[in-house]
Amino acid sequence: MNTSSTLPTMPVGKHAIVYGGSMAGLLATGVLSRHFERVTLVERDRFEDVPQSRKGVPQSSQVHALLARGRNVLSEVFPGFEEDLKAAGGEIMDMTEPVACFVSGLWRPQIRCGVSMSAHSRPLLEWVVRQRVQALPNVRVVDGREAAGLKTGVDPTRISGVKLQAPGGGQEELLEGDLVVDASGRGSRTPQWLEALGYPRVEETCIHVDVVYACRLYQRPPGFEPGWDTLTLAPQLPEVRRLGTIQPIENNLWQVMLGGWLGDGPSADEASFLEFARGLPQPHLYEALRNAQPLGPIHRYRFSHNQRRHYERMSRFPEGLVVIGDAFCSFNPVYGQGMTTGALQAETLGECLRQGLAGVSQRYRQRVGKLLEVPWTLGTSGDLRLPEVEGKRPPALGLMSWYGDRFQRLTCYDEEALRLFIRVMHMLESPAAMFSPRMVFKVLTSKPDAAALNRGPKPLAAARRAQVA
């Protein structure tokens, strides 16, 4: 384990506090360790010394995606992070070459695109990052304690600390600091606490999607060589509302996820899980599961709504307080934006601190408000294509959806479009690049050469029939 660390060379303050040991909280702690003499990370759960799911992350048993941009931020905050991840059992692989992806009624070509993805479970990723945080000499981790409220000092417009207590109640203690960071997730109580201090209630935007998905671990069958490491059967909204994926993780295991919108997801029993897989547009995932050994139970999770708290719009906001990660904005997990967007917020916090501690809360909330516009628009536009989903539609949603569908099909037979789309998806390139004159021309005029189309991997049943013949 690489435990190299960097002490702050020019600290802007003496003590910073982060409450919430989420990925966003861990990253924020790493960033703050470079700007404060001391940092305290407070977490309600007890941290284990091994990769393990915890109560505070109820979806930790589900498939998680760390986009390339998020991995880049992690490597900047914790140099050597990728090496640590690989040493712990994670894998870094090309985003398209080992991936069989069925989208828009076509199979994408399995070419090398140059953008890599990481393959691992959420508990392993969190454990690797937590090891790096705990190795920082100016960081103290206080687990088994939860935040119970914010504290102001002599200046009522500045947060001076946070009240702590044991989970569920008990005697409170005060932890004082120059900066308090809320990384407590979707259930953050900062809106209520600010109201209690006399601030206006933060405006919220919610888009209800009722996504239901379930995951299960499988042992990859010995000698199983289907021509892919990762399999994705993507939805085609609004008509096809189901999806399925097989993702390799550590220890030669598969993490299988099945899900759908508006409550259309599998139940947590084996028959329902397999029947749901059989109902997907292609048979590959179902046939793979029939030949694989399941390990442990099916973990079912329900995500009710996208949630964005508009802290950037508040007319008054205290200094000394920062909100990060899902506590600021949480997305439909199907799109895999959450951890990377949290990483970008941590990066933004560091940029704001380089300008000094004075005014950092105001600079940060305004910059994050702008930062969230693109991932929020991309993440909710797909959901808003479903007529049953309530929410304000952008004026050009119909046109953008039509163009997006055409671009998706283009990625199935145009390598340049595929490479660009992967870079946009991984937040390495602006979505505006998809609307360059060259790309617009291709979208409007290109037609696939039927002979050159990727036929996709053979279903296992078909492959066995060919072997017998």
Side-chain angles (χ1 to χ4, degrees):
M1 177 71 67
N2 187 332
T3 58
S4 61
S5 57
T6 304
L7 286 169
T9 54
M10 295 182 62
V12 298
K14 291 184 178 181
H15 185 211
I17 304 163
V18 179
Y19 62 91
S22 62
M23 283 297 298
L26 294 170
L27 266 163
T29 302
V31 168
L32 292 171
S33 72
R34 301 182 178 187
H35 296 278
F36 289 83
E37 294 177 10
R38 297 183 296 118
V39 183
T40 300
L41 171 63
V42 179
E43 168 52 43
R44 189 180 194 275
D45 293 337
R46 292 288 184 183
F47 285 141
E48 302 294 337
D49 292 331
V50 294
Q52 184 174 306
S53 297
R54 56 187 182 87
K55 186 177 179 181
V57 189
Q59 75 281 23
S60 63
S61 298
Q62 311 294 340
V63 169
H64 278 72
L66 177 62
L67 304 182
R69 181 76 182 278
R71 201 171 68 250
N72 290 346
V73 174
L74 272 163
S75 295
E76 290 168 4
V77 177
F78 304 109
F81 157 75
E82 284 196 19
E83 289 74 12
D84 289 349
L85 186 62
K86 287 187 280 189
E91 188 176 351
I92 308 295
M93 62 179 68
D94 190 80
M95 183 63 201
T96 52
E97 189 175 40
V99 178
C101 179
F102 185 77
V103 60
S104 296
L106 297 172
W107 290 95
R108 281 184 179 154
Q110 290 181 241
I111 61 168
R112 179 172 289 274
C113 71
V115 175
S116 59
M117 65 177 179
S118 51
H120 46 73
S121 66
R122 164 67 185 257
L124 181 74
L125 173 64
E126 187 176 297
W127 178 77
V128 168
V129 178
R130 191 166 66 242
Q131 293 286 99
R132 295 300 299 270
V133 168
Q134 291 173 322
L136 294 169
N138 61 338
V139 169
R140 179 171 72 109
V141 175
V142 179
D143 58 1
R145 306 292 283 174
E146 68 176 351
L150 300 172
K151 180 72 170 61
T152 58
V154 177
D155 181 357
T157 66
R158 183 176 188 85
I159 301 301
S160 61
V162 62
K163 302 170 188 176
L164 302 181
Q165 64 180 17
Q171 185 174 355
E172 291 184 356
E173 61 181 286
L174 176 63
L175 188 63
E176 295 184 301
D178 305 306
L179 185 67
V180 174
V181 178
D182 173 9
S184 60
R186 281 172 65 90
S188 164
R189 289 179 285 173
T190 291
Q192 296 91 329
W193 293 343
L194 288 179
E195 272 194 296
L197 292 173
Y199 290 91
R201 185 64 179 261
V202 62
E203 179 186 343
E204 293 187 7
T205 299
C206 295
I207 298 177
H208 292 265
V209 291
D210 193 20
V211 167
V212 176
Y213 55 103
C215 284
R216 193 178 200 182
L217 290 178
Y218 287 79
Q219 183 68 57
R220 180 185 174 114
F224 183 78
E225 298 295 338
W228 48 263
D229 292 325
T230 297
L231 173 68
T232 297
L233 304 179
Q236 191 173 354
L237 301 177
E239 292 83 11
V240 181
R241 305 179 180 189
R242 292 183 170 189
L243 75 157
T245 184
I246 296 178
Q247 176 176 296
I249 61 170
E250 62 271 14
N251 301 320
N252 200 34
L253 300 180
W254 282 343
Q255 197 166 34
V256 178
M257 188 269 279
L258 305 173
W261 277 254
L262 301 172
D264 184 19
S267 301
D269 64 87
E270 187 160 3
S272 170
F273 196 77
L274 289 174
E275 189 60 31
F276 192 96
R278 180 154 51 180
L280 293 171
Q282 295 289 317
H284 303 70
L285 192 149
Y286 171 70
E287 292 189 349
L289 296 192
R290 290 180 61 198
N291 291 274
Q293 177 186 354
L295 303 175
I298 297 167
H299 298 276
R300 192 171 187 263
Y301 186 71
R302 197 163 201 143
F303 178 87
S304 61
H305 61 278
N306 298 278
Q307 176 178 281
R308 182 176 178 184
R309 296 184 171 112
H310 296 277
Y311 285 107
E312 75 280 4
R313 297 180 185 175
M314 289 181 66
S315 58
R316 292 186 299 114
F317 191 87
E319 269 302 328
L321 176 66
V322 158
V323 182
I324 196 169
D326 283 359
F328 205 128
C329 182
S330 63
F331 306 86
N332 183 340
V334 166
Y335 301 117
Q337 299 172 300
M339 289 193 295
T340 297
T341 305
L344 294 177
Q345 292 175 56
E347 182 181 59
T348 300
L349 177 58
E351 293 169 354
C352 292
L353 284 167
R354 283 196 286 273
Q355 299 177 46
L357 186 59
V360 69
S361 296
Q362 314 309 326
R363 289 194 298 275
Y364 170 83
R365 68 188 178 102
Q366 295 301 328
R367 291 188 189 182
V368 169
K370 294 178 182 177
L371 181 155
L372 290 172
E373 286 298 329
V374 170
W376 177 260
T377 300
L378 291 177
T380 59
S381 293
D383 296 336
L384 289 170
R385 296 187 67 177
L386 299 172
E388 300 92 333
V389 171
E390 295 181 3
K392 184 179 179 181
R393 267 78 174 168
L397 178 64
L399 177 60
M400 292 298 99
S401 298
W402 175 85
Y403 186 87
D405 290 344
R406 297 277 300 229
F407 200 100
Q408 285 278 23
R409 286 186 64 83
L410 184 64
T411 65
C412 296
Y413 55 87
D414 186 288
E415 295 185 4
E416 181 186 17
L418 176 56
R419 289 189 171 94
L420 173 59
F421 178 79
I422 295 298
R423 290 187 61 79
V424 170
M425 185 180 79
H426 281 261
M427 298 188 186
L428 300 171
E429 193 108 28
S430 167
M434 295 169 56
F435 297 89
S436 69
R438 178 177 175 82
M439 284 295 117
V440 170
F441 181 79
K442 283 192 170 190
V443 167
L444 296 180
T445 63
S446 296
K447 294 182 179 180
D449 178 357
L453 281 176
N454 178 23
R455 302 300 176 186
K458 283 186 178 181
L460 299 185
R464 283 195 293 271
R465 286 195 298 269
Q467 290 174 356
V468 171

